[in-house]
């Protein structure tokens, strides 16, 4: 790979690593018993799509230290995508989301694999939970066998514990905050721990640790990664409600029906007066919410200017991230790639 950042070429490399590794593991899993075939299929489905941003941040965390391109590093970076796949399967299960990338989510797809089971829905959900667990295990396996020297891997190992702890803490916070009084500060904390850290900061730090990054560079990675990761999720919240399902691949009523603690909903509530709060209160959390109800929520949000507030929050965080990046003394290719990745993370349609 040349020093010129080629996102499409990098994605092909990561996709190939994931396809080969997960296909092999899925075959070994299915070989235990024919009944496991549908579960093995969901392992492969979980990694079939993705922007590969997390792998890219890990890769450039390595390259920004001055290390050269490395196939072993690409394998290590691809393990970040298995962490993401595990988190997505669990998140979709917790939120009871029906679609991901335009296809049925794991627990929905597995429902067809157990049609005659006396508790088909519960069985499918249990199987999906185990798919997510296995994907997280495979992430550690791919990282450990990536081909980098053991001494390099040892430098990054403590960050894996931190990544898992903070990711699960964020997921738990979202569960505990769901359905409670909307609060922007609390929502931003959920965003930071559930998404921002494992999407940008931790992949950068792991790539940097593998490469032997010094303390100053690691601090710079966090100063860049945390606000950018928050911007990524804030954009995701906007797309979740206002995006086109054919682009996002997800149902855009999920956050409203689930009354999830998004900053968008929290800002809407903060700006709303009693009449609007009464109207929103009748819609948020409604499992029967249809297109008309969803449009009513959007109308209130737009009239109060909540989406514009979120856009300004995104812009401020991208600026903060880029200011931190420009203060770092990193090779020009790394600076250029991380600048491009910042825009890819925050300005997107899906």
């Amino acid at each position: 790979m040349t020093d010129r950042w080629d996102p499409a070429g990098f994605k092909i490399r990561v996709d190939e690593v994931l396809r080969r590794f997960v296909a092999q593991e899925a075959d070994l899993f299915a070989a235990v018993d024919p009944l496991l075939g549908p579960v093995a299929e969901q392992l492969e489905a979980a990694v079939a799509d993705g922007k590969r941003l997390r792998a890219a941040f890990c890769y450039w965390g390595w390259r920004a230290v001055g290390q050269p391109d490395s196939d072993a590093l690409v394998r290590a970076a691809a393990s970040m995508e298995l962490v993401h796949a595990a988190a997505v399967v669990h998140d979709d299960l917790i939120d009871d989301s029906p679609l991901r990338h335009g296809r049925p989510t794991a627990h929905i797809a597995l429902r067809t694999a157990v049609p005659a089971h006396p508790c088909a829905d519960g069985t499918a959900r249990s199987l999906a939970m185990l798919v997510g667990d296995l994907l997280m295990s495979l992430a550690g396996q791919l990282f450990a066998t990536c081909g980098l020297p053991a001494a390099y891997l040892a430098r990054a190992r403590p960050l894996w514990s931190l990544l898992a702890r903070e990711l699960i803490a964020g997921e738990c916070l979202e569960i505990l905050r769901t359905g409670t009084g909307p609060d922007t500060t609390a929502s931003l904390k959920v965003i930071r721990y559930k998404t921002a850290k494992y999407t940008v900061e931790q992949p950068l730090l792991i790539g940097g640790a593998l490469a032997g990054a010094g303390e100053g560079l690691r601090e710079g990675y966090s100063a860049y990664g945390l606000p950018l990761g928050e911007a990524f999720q804030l954009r995701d919240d906007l797309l979740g409600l206002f995006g086109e399902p054919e682009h996002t691949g997800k149902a855009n009523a999920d956050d409203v029906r689930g009354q999830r603690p998004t900053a968008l909903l929290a800002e809407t509530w903060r700006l709303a007066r009693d009449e609007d709060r009464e109207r929103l209160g009748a819609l948020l959390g409604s499992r029967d919410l249809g297109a008309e109800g969803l449009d009513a929520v959007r109308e209130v949000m737009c009239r109060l200017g909540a989406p514009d507030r979120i856009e300004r929050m995104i812009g401020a965080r991208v600026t903060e991230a880029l200011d931190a990046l420009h203060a770092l003394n990193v090779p020009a290719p790394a600076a250029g790639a991380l600048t491009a990745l910042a825009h890819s993370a925050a300005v997107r349609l899906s």
Side-chain angles (χ1 to χ4, degrees):
M1 188 172 185
T2 67
D3 282 341
R4 185 180 65 82
W5 177 224
D6 176 14
F10 180 78
K11 183 180 185 304
I12 289 170
R13 294 174 74 186
V14 173
D15 284 348
E16 182 62 15
V17 168
L18 291 172
R19 186 190 65 77
R20 287 175 177 269
F21 177 74
V22 177
Q24 182 179 35
E25 291 297 325
D27 286 346
L28 292 171
F29 183 80
V32 173
D33 192 286
L35 281 175
L36 297 173
V39 182
E41 290 174 8
Q42 288 308 305
L43 287 174
E44 295 188 82
V47 299
D49 300 286
K51 304 173 190 66
R52 311 314 186 199
L53 284 173
R54 293 158 185 84
F57 284 119
C58 184
Y59 177 85
W60 285 104
W62 161 275
R63 293 292 306 274
V65 183
Q67 293 279 13
D69 178 59
S70 159
D71 287 338
L73 189 278
V74 172
R75 285 176 58 82
S79 69
M80 300 292 101
E81 298 299 330
L82 287 172
V83 172
H84 177 53
V88 163
V89 170
H90 284 152
D91 198 43
D92 288 341
L93 178 60
I94 291 165
D95 294 339
D96 201 21
S97 298
L99 291 175
R100 175 74 63 166
H101 298 298
R103 297 193 304 270
T105 48
H107 64 282
I108 299 297
L110 285 165
R111 173 65 177 78
T112 63
V114 289
H117 198 282
C119 184
D121 287 343
T123 299
R125 294 178 69 85
S126 296
L127 291 172
M129 177 183 68
L130 294 170
V131 168
D133 291 346
L134 183 51
L135 286 165
M136 184 63 86
S137 174
L138 292 178
Q141 181 183 336
L142 179 58
F143 184 81
T145 59
C146 68
L148 289 173
Y152 288 28
L153 297 176
R155 291 195 294 246
R157 192 168 294 120
L159 290 172
W160 272 84
S161 298
L162 181 62
L163 182 154
R165 180 167 63 250
E166 292 183 336
L167 171 57
I168 294 171
E171 192 70 69
C172 288
L173 283 174
E174 183 180 60
I175 292 169
L176 293 167
R177 290 284 182 187
T178 293
T180 63
D183 180 281
T184 301
T185 300
S187 293
L188 290 173
K189 187 171 188 177
V190 170
I191 282 173
R192 173 164 287 208
Y193 282 91
K194 183 193 170 191
T195 303
K197 283 177 166 287
Y198 98 91
T199 297
V200 186
E201 184 199 27
Q202 292 293 358
L204 275 169
L205 289 173
I206 288 172
L210 290 170
E215 182 179 356
L217 186 54
R218 294 196 305 271
E219 290 176 353
Y221 282 172
S222 292
Y224 164 88
L226 282 172
L228 182 58
E230 290 179 1
F232 175 89
Q233 184 58 44
L234 289 168
R235 173 64 62 202
D236 210 54
D237 291 345
L238 279 177
L239 289 171
L241 191 53
F242 290 94
E244 297 294 336
E246 58 265 30
H247 291 142
T248 66
K250 295 183 281 188
N252 50 13
D254 284 357
D255 287 349
V256 176
R257 284 187 183 137
Q259 203 170 348
R260 295 175 194 158
T262 67
L264 176 60
L265 288 175
E267 279 297 284
T268 301
W269 192 263
R270 186 183 66 80
L271 294 166
R273 295 184 178 180
D274 289 345
E275 182 180 343
D276 285 324
R277 287 188 176 189
E278 184 177 350
R279 190 179 187 195
L280 288 168
L283 295 167
L284 299 178
S286 172
R287 305 306 297 178
D288 298 324
L289 185 75
E292 185 176 338
L294 194 59
D295 285 341
V297 173
R298 292 189 184 110
E299 186 277 326
V300 173
M301 287 180 167
C302 291
R303 177 162 45 79
L304 295 173
D308 292 336
R309 287 272 306 167
I310 300 301
E311 286 287 359
R312 289 194 292 273
M313 291 167 70
I314 292 170
R317 282 160 173 77
V318 172
T319 297
E320 181 182 349
L322 292 177
D323 286 347
L325 174 61
H326 297 153
L328 293 177
N329 182 24
V330 298
L338 290 171
T339 298
L341 282 167
H343 292 293
S344 296
V347 182
R348 54 198 169 89
L349 296 176
S350 64

